[in-house]
Amino acid sequence: MQTRLDIEVLAKDINAVNIQIHGDVNMKILGDWYVHHEGDKHETHKGTHYLRHVGNTIIEEEGNTIYKHLGDYNKFIEGSVTETITENYNGSILADSTQNIGNRSEVIIGGDFD
């Protein structure tokens, strides 16, 4: 594939690139964007995070996944939900909850379920 800019940085046993920006950054890409990363990835973000995606989303994960959330969590789905679990499922609700499904309302008061 033809390119206008090709940058390759080779460094061993030191940080290859260190970039510090003090101020706002705007990036606009008109075209496809490919990222291939090998190695650990650590990301820290402080402040509001707004993400908007239009189009299909495919997420494939291998290995264990831990999702930890502190604070209120709201989820709104417009459309169908299909969930398939092929092995054990354990869940705990440590507080009272209410589920409204169509014209049916279900109240759960604490407890575990399998």
Side-chain angles (χ1 to χ4, degrees):
M1 187 180 292
Q2 291 182 336
T3 60
R4 290 184 180 227
L5 177 64
D6 187 4
I7 299 172
E8 183 174 354
V9 178
L10 301 174
K12 194 171 186 174
D13 301 326
I14 61 170
N15 288 335
V17 177
N18 183 33
I19 299 172
Q20 292 186 28
I21 300 171
H22 299 272
D24 297 341
V25 175
N26 297 304
M27 181 169 54
K28 183 175 184 176
I29 298 171
L30 300 174
D32 295 340
W33 181 14
Y34 299 94
V35 176
H36 177 89
H37 173 90
E38 291 184 20
D40 294 341
K41 180 178 180 182
H42 304 272
E43 227 175 299
T44 300
H45 172 86
K46 293 182 181 180
T48 301
H49 183 159
Y50 172 79
L51 175 65
R52 182 174 188 270
H53 172 83
V54 177
N56 295 332
T57 300
I58 298 171
I59 300 172
E60 293 183 21
E61 296 178 325
E62 292 182 21
N64 296 331
T65 300
I66 298 172
Y67 179 80
K68 183 177 180 179
H69 178 87
L70 301 174
D72 293 342
Y73 180 79
N74 297 305
K75 185 176 185 179
F76 303 97
I77 298 172
E78 186 174 316
S80 300
V81 174
T82 301
E83 185 176 44
T84 303
I85 299 169
T86 59
E87 294 187 22
N88 297 331
Y89 179 84
N90 297 307
S92 295
I93 298 174
L94 301 176
D96 297 348
S97 69
T98 302
Q99 295 182 15
N100 296 307
I101 301 172
N103 293 326
R104 189 183 99 213
S105 181
E106 182 177 326
V107 177
I108 299 171
I109 302 175
D112 292 341
F113 52 93
D114 288 322

